[in-house]
Amino acid sequence: MALHILTDDITEEFAFGGGAGGAKSWTGCSWLAMMCIAYPGTRWFIGREELKRLRESTYQTFLKVAKEYGIKQGEVWKYNGQDHYIQFANGSRIDLLDLKYLPSDPFYERYGSIEYTGGWIEEAGEINHGAYDTLKSRVGRHLNDKYGILGKIFTTLNPKKNWCHTEFWKPYKAGTLPANRRFLPSLVTDNPFVDKGYISKLQSLTDKIKKERLLYGNFDYDDDDNALIARSAIDDLFTNTFVDKGKSYITADVARFGKDNTVIMLWSGWRVESIHTLQKRSTAEVAQFIKHLSTKHGVPRSNIIIDEDGVGGGVVDLLPGCQGFVNNSSPLPNPDSDKDENYKNLKTQCYYMLAAAINAGRMFVNADGNLEVQETLSGELEQVKRLNADADGKLEIVPKEKVKELLGRSPDYSDTLMMRMFFELKKPQEWLHF
Ligand SMILES: Nc1ncnc2c1ncn2[C@@H]1O[C@H](COP(=O)(O)OP(=O)(O)OP(=O)(O)O)[C@@H](O)[C@H]1O
Ligand SMILES: [Mg+2]
């Protein structure tokens, strides 16, 4: 099927991959060898992060393919070990390209003027997006019209959360790939030629994440061991409609004026009943909004919490009786836990508790069909990760600055969700109600 796609008249960008041992390399080598022979004088490339690995691994597969199909070395083709290309007697040629990212050549200008018929990027999970972008514009430029063949770029890969995920896997799953772009899963179980030992080796992997990626070709498995919240639990958050209603709360993360978003969540028990995003509002306007929301939904002032760092402090002052959340304040004794855990600060403690609640499926977020909010919150929750314990053995999470760098914005939604845990730590004593 992959070879079929590689020779059709529609697909210009084709990603083939997923698991290990699904004949990705074999397919790439077969395709190029056959194209070189069928179309004399054409020019192709195989690119990989490191030329050394290209020679030690991909080129070795090429040798096997040539042998298997009787494409005689020395007679039909030979390898130029000095300039790293495979020269065919009929004038066709395959360049082996080193696609390592070089700070001195961030846009891969070293390949910016070569004209190729088509090409293949091997192990694209290791490749910088700039290389893909440049090479994409270099194919379809050498004898394509003469032979009537489409300029194609073939990408082989194992699951990785880089550009391959956003450009191929996600739209593939959502069914939104454009007509000229395709993804085809490749699993070891599809390959009848693989050694039996290969499959059992993958099955016996003890590293859960590796196994998900390499045996099942799962791109959505979070490849970060340090993530505190399971990806599936994050997805469930938006469909856990069965979660009971309860006491009402409001949590709010206030933006610096003109920057980020002010996010306000209205809670009933462990249900987020509504999410409000305010842009460019003064502290007075934010306070007014919260006041209105609390009156409308009967939220006692003491059940409102607002981050007190920075601008939020101004809102806290305008709503006397509400709680202020100070990220870096000391952790609080947890009335529901006898575990003696040592958190770096209150925020870390609340994030750990939030992770536990989400992982247990105890929380529901009503995103009200707003997919953008849902994606944003999900992305932020994925970034909640433990940091290696410091010298004192205190539990830490990846700091906000790092998360900001990764997301390109502040994790406002997850922070607002996290503050809800404060009320589990500061449970009022059970007063008598007459
Ligand atoms: N058509 C074929 N005929 C004979 N052997 C094949 C064929 N296709 C694949 N194989 C064999 O199957 C095995 C796996 O193939 P290949 O190395 O291409 O997989 P891969 O997906 O690139 O794996 P990896 O993830 O390890 O890079 C190899 O031993 C290869 O020789
Ligand atoms: Mg391979």
Side-chain angles (χ1 to χ4, degrees), residues 86-128:
I86 297 167
Q87 179 69 53
F88 283 74
N90 68 1
S92 295
R93 126 178 199 169
I94 305 169
D95 292 344
L96 306 190
L97 307 183
D98 188 324
L99 301 184
K100 195 192 298 316
Y101 177 81
L102 303 174
S104 58
D105 181 24
F107 303 112
Y108 290 82
E109 276 155 20
R110 60 190 188 274
Y111 300 126
S113 57
I114 313 180
E115 319 236 282
Y116 285 112
T117 314
W120 166 30
I121 293 180
E122 168 83 309
E123 306 285 1
E126 301 163 4
I127 303 295
N128 188 283

mmCIF file of all heavy atoms in Angstrom, residues 86-128:
data_model
loop_
_atom_site.group_PDB
_atom_site.id
_atom_site.type_symbol
_atom_site.label_atom_id
_atom_site.label_comp_id
_atom_site.label_asym_id
_atom_site.label_seq_id
_atom_site.Cartn_x
_atom_site.Cartn_y
_atom_site.Cartn_z
ATOM 1 N N ILE A 86 24.595 7.359 -4.075
ATOM 2 C CA ILE A 86 24.484 6.102 -4.808
ATOM 3 C C ILE A 86 24.274 6.461 -6.266
ATOM 4 O O ILE A 86 23.304 7.152 -6.604
ATOM 5 C CB ILE A 86 23.304 5.264 -4.269
ATOM 6 C CG1 ILE A 86 23.554 4.878 -2.804
ATOM 7 C CG2 ILE A 86 23.092 4.012 -5.132
ATOM 8 C CD1 ILE A 86 22.339 4.333 -2.082
ATOM 9 N N GLN A 87 25.204 6.060 -7.116
ATOM 10 C CA GLN A 87 25.151 6.414 -8.538
ATOM 11 C C GLN A 87 24.670 5.207 -9.340
ATOM 12 O O GLN A 87 25.205 4.116 -9.189
ATOM 13 C CB GLN A 87 26.547 6.836 -9.016
ATOM 14 C CG GLN A 87 26.620 7.212 -10.477
ATOM 15 C CD GLN A 87 25.879 8.529 -10.767
ATOM 16 O OE1 GLN A 87 26.127 9.545 -10.118
ATOM 17 N NE2 GLN A 87 24.962 8.496 -11.726
ATOM 18 N N PHE A 88 23.656 5.442 -10.140
ATOM 19 C CA PHE A 88 23.174 4.368 -11.014
ATOM 20 C C PHE A 88 23.806 4.521 -12.398
ATOM 21 O O PHE A 88 24.091 5.648 -12.833
ATOM 22 C CB PHE A 88 21.648 4.400 -11.129
ATOM 23 C CG PHE A 88 20.967 3.835 -9.906
ATOM 24 C CD1 PHE A 88 20.931 4.565 -8.719
ATOM 25 C CD2 PHE A 88 20.389 2.579 -9.932
ATOM 26 C CE1 PHE A 88 20.335 4.035 -7.590
ATOM 27 C CE2 PHE A 88 19.779 2.042 -8.801
ATOM 28 C CZ PHE A 88 19.759 2.781 -7.627
ATOM 29 N N ALA A 89 23.980 3.395 -13.065
ATOM 30 C CA ALA A 89 24.619 3.417 -14.386
ATOM 31 C C ALA A 89 23.788 4.219 -15.386
ATOM 32 O O ALA A 89 24.323 4.789 -16.338
ATOM 33 C CB ALA A 89 24.816 1.983 -14.888
ATOM 34 N N ASN A 90 22.485 4.300 -15.155
ATOM 35 C CA ASN A 90 21.630 5.024 -16.111
ATOM 36 C C ASN A 90 21.577 6.533 -15.820
ATOM 37 O O ASN A 90 20.755 7.245 -16.370
ATOM 38 C CB ASN A 90 20.211 4.438 -16.102
ATOM 39 C CG ASN A 90 19.482 4.701 -14.791
ATOM 40 O OD1 ASN A 90 20.016 5.345 -13.880
ATOM 41 N ND2 ASN A 90 18.263 4.203 -14.691
ATOM 42 N N GLY A 91 22.442 6.996 -14.932
ATOM 43 C CA GLY A 91 22.501 8.428 -14.655
ATOM 44 C C GLY A 91 21.698 8.867 -13.442
ATOM 45 O O GLY A 91 21.834 9.996 -12.976
ATOM 46 N N SER A 92 20.837 8.013 -12.919
ATOM 47 C CA SER A 92 20.085 8.374 -11.709
ATOM 48 C C SER A 92 21.025 8.361 -10.506
ATOM 49 O O SER A 92 22.065 7.708 -10.533
ATOM 50 C CB SER A 92 18.956 7.376 -11.463
ATOM 51 O OG SER A 92 18.010 7.453 -12.502
ATOM 52 N N ARG A 93 20.573 9.083 -9.470
ATOM 53 C CA ARG A 93 21.460 9.122 -8.298
ATOM 54 C C ARG A 93 20.655 9.417 -7.031
ATOM 55 O O ARG A 93 19.635 10.100 -7.064
ATOM 56 C CB ARG A 93 22.556 10.135 -8.588
ATOM 57 C CG ARG A 93 22.755 11.224 -7.589
ATOM 58 C CD ARG A 93 23.924 12.106 -8.014
ATOM 59 N NE ARG A 93 24.377 12.859 -6.847
ATOM 60 C CZ ARG A 93 25.493 13.564 -6.788
ATOM 61 N NH1 ARG A 93 26.298 13.612 -7.826
ATOM 62 N NH2 ARG A 93 25.804 14.227 -5.695
ATOM 63 N N ILE A 94 21.137 8.866 -5.922
ATOM 64 C CA ILE A 94 20.515 9.127 -4.614
ATOM 65 C C ILE A 94 21.561 9.745 -3.695
ATOM 66 O O ILE A 94 22.587 9.130 -3.419
ATOM 67 C CB ILE A 94 20.001 7.815 -3.957
ATOM 68 C CG1 ILE A 94 19.048 7.057 -4.893
ATOM 69 C CG2 ILE A 94 19.322 8.116 -2.627
ATOM 70 C CD1 ILE A 94 18.731 5.634 -4.413
ATOM 71 N N ASP A 95 21.298 10.969 -3.221
ATOM 72 C CA ASP A 95 22.215 11.621 -2.281
ATOM 73 C C ASP A 95 21.865 11.209 -0.856
ATOM 74 O O ASP A 95 20.684 11.164 -0.497
ATOM 75 C CB ASP A 95 22.078 13.147 -2.367
ATOM 76 C CG ASP A 95 22.578 13.685 -3.691
ATOM 77 O OD1 ASP A 95 23.299 12.950 -4.397
ATOM 78 O OD2 ASP A 95 22.235 14.841 -4.027
ATOM 79 N N LEU A 96 22.877 10.966 -0.058
ATOM 80 C CA LEU A 96 22.629 10.736 1.366
ATOM 81 C C LEU A 96 22.882 12.046 2.101
ATOM 82 O O LEU A 96 23.989 12.572 2.063
ATOM 83 C CB LEU A 96 23.551 9.645 1.909
ATOM 84 C CG LEU A 96 23.545 8.297 1.181
ATOM 85 C CD1 LEU A 96 24.312 7.252 1.980
ATOM 86 C CD2 LEU A 96 22.118 7.791 0.944
ATOM 87 N N LEU A 97 21.833 12.589 2.711
ATOM 88 C CA LEU A 97 21.939 13.920 3.320
ATOM 89 C C LEU A 97 21.971 13.871 4.839
ATOM 90 O O LEU A 97 21.192 13.147 5.469
ATOM 91 C CB LEU A 97 20.752 14.803 2.897
ATOM 92 C CG LEU A 97 20.462 14.954 1.412
ATOM 93 C CD1 LEU A 97 19.295 15.926 1.226
ATOM 94 C CD2 LEU A 97 21.692 15.453 0.665
ATOM 95 N N ASP A 98 22.835 14.677 5.381
ATOM 96 C CA ASP A 98 22.934 14.835 6.825
ATOM 97 C C ASP A 98 22.006 15.989 7.215
ATOM 98 O O ASP A 98 22.229 17.124 6.818
ATOM 99 C CB ASP A 98 24.387 15.184 7.164
ATOM 100 C CG ASP A 98 24.651 15.184 8.648
ATOM 101 O OD1 ASP A 98 23.750 15.592 9.407
ATOM 102 O OD2 ASP A 98 25.748 14.764 9.061
ATOM 103 N N LEU A 99 20.952 15.708 7.987
ATOM 104 C CA LEU A 99 19.967 16.751 8.284
ATOM 105 C C LEU A 99 20.103 17.323 9.693
ATOM 106 O O LEU A 99 19.160 17.891 10.237
ATOM 107 C CB LEU A 99 18.553 16.216 8.063
ATOM 108 C CG LEU A 99 18.255 15.713 6.651
ATOM 109 C CD1 LEU A 99 16.799 15.295 6.537
ATOM 110 C CD2 LEU A 99 18.584 16.773 5.608
ATOM 111 N N LYS A 100 21.252 17.142 10.262
ATOM 112 C CA LYS A 100 21.466 17.685 11.601
ATOM 113 C C LYS A 100 21.222 19.194 11.589
ATOM 114 O O LYS A 100 21.549 19.882 10.641
ATOM 115 C CB LYS A 100 22.897 17.393 12.032
ATOM 116 C CG LYS A 100 23.091 17.600 13.544
ATOM 117 C CD LYS A 100 24.540 17.609 13.986
ATOM 118 C CE LYS A 100 25.338 16.364 13.772
ATOM 119 N NZ LYS A 100 24.762 15.107 14.087
ATOM 120 N N TYR A 101 20.633 19.688 12.678
ATOM 121 C CA TYR A 101 20.403 21.122 12.802
ATOM 122 C C TYR A 101 21.716 21.816 13.135
ATOM 123 O O TYR A 101 22.381 21.465 14.110
ATOM 124 C CB TYR A 101 19.369 21.397 13.905
ATOM 125 C CG TYR A 101 19.141 22.863 14.148
ATOM 126 C CD1 TYR A 101 18.293 23.582 13.316
ATOM 127 C CD2 TYR A 101 19.796 23.528 15.177
ATOM 128 C CE1 TYR A 101 18.084 24.941 13.515
ATOM 129 C CE2 TYR A 101 19.591 24.880 15.384
ATOM 130 C CZ TYR A 101 18.732 25.583 14.552
ATOM 131 O OH TYR A 101 18.533 26.929 14.747
ATOM 132 N N LEU A 102 22.099 22.773 12.327
ATOM 133 C CA LEU A 102 23.311 23.534 12.599
ATOM 134 C C LEU A 102 22.923 24.984 12.866
ATOM 135 O O LEU A 102 22.279 25.611 12.025
ATOM 136 C CB LEU A 102 24.263 23.491 11.394
ATOM 137 C CG LEU A 102 24.707 22.120 10.890
ATOM 138 C CD1 LEU A 102 25.525 22.257 9.610
ATOM 139 C CD2 LEU A 102 25.520 21.396 11.956
ATOM 140 N N PRO A 103 23.296 25.510 14.024
ATOM 141 C CA PRO A 103 22.937 26.901 14.336
ATOM 142 C C PRO A 103 23.434 27.868 13.253
ATOM 143 O O PRO A 103 22.834 28.915 13.030
ATOM 144 C CB PRO A 103 23.652 27.168 15.661
ATOM 145 C CG PRO A 103 23.867 25.812 16.253
ATOM 146 C CD PRO A 103 24.037 24.855 15.123
ATOM 147 N N SER A 104 24.498 27.483 12.571
ATOM 148 C CA SER A 104 25.029 28.363 11.523
ATOM 149 C C SER A 104 24.176 28.304 10.251
ATOM 150 O O SER A 104 24.335 29.116 9.350
ATOM 151 C CB SER A 104 26.465 27.966 11.192
ATOM 152 O OG SER A 104 26.475 26.612 10.772
ATOM 153 N N ASP A 105 23.271 27.316 10.174
ATOM 154 C CA ASP A 105 22.445 27.166 8.967
ATOM 155 C C ASP A 105 21.020 26.787 9.365
ATOM 156 O O ASP A 105 20.514 25.718 9.023
ATOM 157 C CB ASP A 105 23.064 26.081 8.062
ATOM 158 C CG ASP A 105 22.278 25.893 6.766
ATOM 159 O OD1 ASP A 105 21.574 26.848 6.339
ATOM 160 O OD2 ASP A 105 22.353 24.796 6.186
ATOM 161 N N PRO A 106 20.346 27.692 10.113
ATOM 162 C CA PRO A 106 19.050 27.318 10.689
ATOM 163 C C PRO A 106 17.983 27.003 9.635
ATOM 164 O O PRO A 106 17.036 26.281 9.923
ATOM 165 C CB PRO A 106 18.659 28.543 11.518
ATOM 166 C CG PRO A 106 19.468 29.670 10.966
ATOM 167 C CD PRO A 106 20.745 29.070 10.455
ATOM 168 N N PHE A 107 18.138 27.523 8.426
ATOM 169 C CA PHE A 107 17.101 27.296 7.408
ATOM 170 C C PHE A 107 17.516 26.261 6.366
ATOM 171 O O PHE A 107 16.916 26.154 5.313
ATOM 172 C CB PHE A 107 16.712 28.624 6.746
ATOM 173 C CG PHE A 107 16.249 29.642 7.739
ATOM 174 C CD1 PHE A 107 16.995 30.782 7.994
ATOM 175 C CD2 PHE A 107 15.087 29.434 8.471
ATOM 176 C CE1 PHE A 107 16.586 31.702 8.946
ATOM 177 C CE2 PHE A 107 14.671 30.347 9.421
ATOM 178 C CZ PHE A 107 15.418 31.484 9.663
ATOM 179 N N TYR A 108 18.555 25.529 6.681
ATOM 180 C CA TYR A 108 19.030 24.463 5.796
ATOM 181 C C TYR A 108 19.322 24.978 4.386
ATOM 182 O O TYR A 108 18.986 24.351 3.394
ATOM 183 C CB TYR A 108 18.029 23.300 5.767
ATOM 184 C CG TYR A 108 18.009 22.569 7.083
ATOM 185 C CD1 TYR A 108 17.265 23.056 8.153
ATOM 186 C CD2 TYR A 108 18.762 21.413 7.280
ATOM 187 C CE1 TYR A 108 17.267 22.416 9.385
ATOM 188 C CE2 TYR A 108 18.772 20.761 8.507
ATOM 189 C CZ TYR A 108 18.016 21.262 9.551
ATOM 190 O OH TYR A 108 18.018 20.624 10.757
ATOM 191 N N GLU A 109 19.959 26.146 4.355
ATOM 192 C CA GLU A 109 20.287 26.708 3.050
ATOM 193 C C GLU A 109 21.296 25.853 2.300
ATOM 194 O O GLU A 109 21.426 25.948 1.082
ATOM 195 C CB GLU A 109 20.771 28.155 3.205
ATOM 196 C CG GLU A 109 19.591 29.116 3.273
ATOM 197 C CD GLU A 109 19.897 30.407 3.993
ATOM 198 O OE1 GLU A 109 21.085 30.743 4.126
ATOM 199 O OE2 GLU A 109 18.932 31.066 4.445
ATOM 200 N N ARG A 110 21.983 24.976 3.040
ATOM 201 C CA ARG A 110 22.948 24.116 2.355
ATOM 202 C C ARG A 110 22.266 23.203 1.334
ATOM 203 O O ARG A 110 22.904 22.685 0.427
ATOM 204 C CB ARG A 110 23.763 23.306 3.374
ATOM 205 C CG ARG A 110 22.989 22.369 4.313
ATOM 206 C CD ARG A 110 23.952 21.852 5.395
ATOM 207 N NE ARG A 110 23.445 20.813 6.285
ATOM 208 C CZ ARG A 110 22.750 21.024 7.393
ATOM 209 N NH1 ARG A 110 22.389 22.248 7.718
ATOM 210 N NH2 ARG A 110 22.389 20.010 8.166
ATOM 211 N N TYR A 111 20.943 23.001 1.524
ATOM 212 C CA TYR A 111 20.219 22.185 0.540
ATOM 213 C C TYR A 111 19.214 23.016 -0.263
ATOM 214 O O TYR A 111 18.377 22.472 -0.977
ATOM 215 C CB TYR A 111 19.492 21.033 1.244
ATOM 216 C CG TYR A 111 20.438 20.126 1.993
ATOM 217 C CD1 TYR A 111 20.243 19.846 3.339
ATOM 218 C CD2 TYR A 111 21.543 19.562 1.352
ATOM 219 C CE1 TYR A 111 21.123 19.025 4.036
ATOM 220 C CE2 TYR A 111 22.433 18.745 2.047
ATOM 221 C CZ TYR A 111 22.214 18.486 3.384
ATOM 222 O OH TYR A 111 23.086 17.687 4.061
ATOM 223 N N GLY A 112 19.324 24.310 -0.095
ATOM 224 C CA GLY A 112 18.295 25.193 -0.645
ATOM 225 C C GLY A 112 18.299 25.369 -2.156
ATOM 226 O O GLY A 112 17.367 25.934 -2.717
ATOM 227 N N SER A 113 19.352 24.890 -2.828
ATOM 228 C CA SER A 113 19.363 25.137 -4.269
ATOM 229 C C SER A 113 19.496 23.864 -5.094
ATOM 230 O O SER A 113 19.656 23.909 -6.308
ATOM 231 C CB SER A 113 20.483 26.120 -4.617
ATOM 232 O OG SER A 113 21.711 25.582 -4.160
ATOM 233 N N ILE A 114 19.434 22.716 -4.442
ATOM 234 C CA ILE A 114 19.568 21.473 -5.207
ATOM 235 C C ILE A 114 18.196 21.057 -5.744
ATOM 236 O O ILE A 114 17.184 21.185 -5.054
ATOM 237 C CB ILE A 114 20.152 20.338 -4.336
ATOM 238 C CG1 ILE A 114 21.378 20.850 -3.572
ATOM 239 C CG2 ILE A 114 20.526 19.144 -5.211
ATOM 240 C CD1 ILE A 114 22.030 19.809 -2.695
ATOM 241 N N GLU A 115 18.167 20.593 -6.959
ATOM 242 C CA GLU A 115 16.895 20.197 -7.573
ATOM 243 C C GLU A 115 16.742 18.676 -7.523
ATOM 244 O O GLU A 115 17.571 17.941 -8.070
ATOM 245 C CB GLU A 115 16.860 20.657 -9.020
ATOM 246 C CG GLU A 115 17.431 22.056 -9.187
ATOM 247 C CD GLU A 115 16.472 23.007 -9.839
ATOM 248 O OE1 GLU A 115 16.337 22.936 -11.059
ATOM 249 O OE2 GLU A 115 15.826 23.796 -9.101
ATOM 250 N N TYR A 116 15.696 18.253 -6.853
ATOM 251 C CA TYR A 116 15.462 16.817 -6.717
ATOM 252 C C TYR A 116 14.172 16.388 -7.416
ATOM 253 O O TYR A 116 13.232 17.167 -7.550
ATOM 254 C CB TYR A 116 15.363 16.432 -5.242
ATOM 255 C CG TYR A 116 16.699 16.422 -4.534
ATOM 256 C CD1 TYR A 116 16.990 17.372 -3.558
ATOM 257 C CD2 TYR A 116 17.663 15.459 -4.844
ATOM 258 C CE1 TYR A 116 18.217 17.368 -2.901
ATOM 259 C CE2 TYR A 116 18.892 15.446 -4.188
ATOM 260 C CZ TYR A 116 19.158 16.404 -3.222
ATOM 261 O OH TYR A 116 20.373 16.388 -2.582
ATOM 262 N N THR A 117 14.161 15.130 -7.804
ATOM 263 C CA THR A 117 12.940 14.533 -8.345
ATOM 264 C C THR A 117 11.991 14.204 -7.190
ATOM 265 O O THR A 117 10.780 14.420 -7.264
ATOM 266 C CB THR A 117 13.288 13.252 -9.132
ATOM 267 O OG1 THR A 117 14.400 13.506 -9.980
ATOM 268 C CG2 THR A 117 12.101 12.764 -9.952
ATOM 269 N N GLY A 118 12.575 13.672 -6.124
ATOM 270 C CA GLY A 118 11.801 13.327 -4.938
ATOM 271 C C GLY A 118 12.753 12.899 -3.838
ATOM 272 O O GLY A 118 13.967 12.853 -4.060
ATOM 273 N N GLY A 119 12.225 12.594 -2.673
ATOM 274 C CA GLY A 119 13.147 12.189 -1.619
ATOM 275 C C GLY A 119 12.459 11.623 -0.393
ATOM 276 O O GLY A 119 11.229 11.641 -0.275
ATOM 277 N N TRP A 120 13.314 11.155 0.506
ATOM 278 C CA TRP A 120 12.841 10.412 1.674
ATOM 279 C C TRP A 120 13.559 10.885 2.929
ATOM 280 O O TRP A 120 14.788 10.947 2.951
ATOM 281 C CB TRP A 120 13.114 8.928 1.403
ATOM 282 C CG TRP A 120 13.012 8.005 2.575
ATOM 283 C CD1 TRP A 120 12.219 8.131 3.667
ATOM 284 C CD2 TRP A 120 13.740 6.782 2.746
ATOM 285 N NE1 TRP A 120 12.386 7.064 4.513
ATOM 286 C CE2 TRP A 120 13.321 6.216 3.972
ATOM 287 C CE3 TRP A 120 14.687 6.106 1.982
ATOM 288 C CZ2 TRP A 120 13.834 5.012 4.458
ATOM 289 C CZ3 TRP A 120 15.200 4.906 2.467
ATOM 290 C CH2 TRP A 120 14.773 4.362 3.690
ATOM 291 N N ILE A 121 12.780 11.215 3.933
ATOM 292 C CA ILE A 121 13.348 11.555 5.235
ATOM 293 C C ILE A 121 13.120 10.390 6.185
ATOM 294 O O ILE A 121 11.984 9.990 6.434
ATOM 295 C CB ILE A 121 12.729 12.851 5.797
ATOM 296 C CG1 ILE A 121 13.156 14.029 4.917
ATOM 297 C CG2 ILE A 121 13.179 13.081 7.229
ATOM 298 C CD1 ILE A 121 12.614 15.355 5.365
ATOM 299 N N GLU A 122 14.189 9.842 6.651
ATOM 300 C CA GLU A 122 14.153 8.634 7.481
ATOM 301 C C GLU A 122 14.206 9.038 8.952
ATOM 302 O O GLU A 122 14.959 9.937 9.332
ATOM 303 C CB GLU A 122 15.360 7.775 7.072
ATOM 304 C CG GLU A 122 15.715 6.613 7.967
ATOM 305 C CD GLU A 122 14.936 5.336 7.736
ATOM 306 O OE1 GLU A 122 13.689 5.400 7.712
ATOM 307 O OE2 GLU A 122 15.583 4.275 7.624
ATOM 308 N N GLU A 123 13.390 8.382 9.805
ATOM 309 C CA GLU A 123 13.342 8.683 11.240
ATOM 310 C C GLU A 123 13.075 10.175 11.474
ATOM 311 O O GLU A 123 13.854 10.879 12.109
ATOM 312 C CB GLU A 123 14.656 8.267 11.935
ATOM 313 C CG GLU A 123 15.068 6.818 11.715
ATOM 314 C CD GLU A 123 14.234 5.825 12.536
ATOM 315 O OE1 GLU A 123 13.314 6.256 13.260
ATOM 316 O OE2 GLU A 123 14.504 4.610 12.433
ATOM 317 N N ALA A 124 11.942 10.625 10.979
ATOM 318 C CA ALA A 124 11.644 12.057 11.002
ATOM 319 C C ALA A 124 11.438 12.611 12.408
ATOM 320 O O ALA A 124 11.469 13.820 12.608
ATOM 321 C CB ALA A 124 10.413 12.352 10.152
ATOM 322 N N GLY A 125 11.253 11.729 13.376
ATOM 323 C CA GLY A 125 11.111 12.186 14.750
ATOM 324 C C GLY A 125 12.344 12.924 15.240
ATOM 325 O O GLY A 125 12.289 13.694 16.186
ATOM 326 N N GLU A 126 13.459 12.680 14.570
ATOM 327 C CA GLU A 126 14.713 13.315 14.994
ATOM 328 C C GLU A 126 15.011 14.574 14.189
ATOM 329 O O GLU A 126 16.008 15.237 14.417
ATOM 330 C CB GLU A 126 15.880 12.330 14.783
ATOM 331 C CG GLU A 126 15.735 11.037 15.546
ATOM 332 C CD GLU A 126 16.649 9.927 15.013
ATOM 333 O OE1 GLU A 126 17.458 10.189 14.097
ATOM 334 O OE2 GLU A 126 16.541 8.808 15.520
ATOM 335 N N ILE A 127 14.156 14.860 13.225
ATOM 336 C CA ILE A 127 14.478 15.918 12.262
ATOM 337 C C ILE A 127 13.826 17.253 12.601
ATOM 338 O O ILE A 127 12.651 17.304 12.965
ATOM 339 C CB ILE A 127 14.015 15.481 10.841
ATOM 340 C CG1 ILE A 127 14.655 14.147 10.449
ATOM 341 C CG2 ILE A 127 14.300 16.555 9.813
ATOM 342 C CD1 ILE A 127 16.152 14.213 10.291
ATOM 343 N N ASN A 128 14.578 18.291 12.452
ATOM 344 C CA ASN A 128 14.076 19.642 12.640
ATOM 345 C C ASN A 128 13.077 19.995 11.528
ATOM 346 O O ASN A 128 13.285 19.635 10.373
ATOM 347 C CB ASN A 128 15.289 20.582 12.584
ATOM 348 C CG ASN A 128 14.938 21.991 12.956
ATOM 349 O OD1 ASN A 128 14.358 22.708 12.158
ATOM 350 N ND2 ASN A 128 15.262 22.374 14.168
#
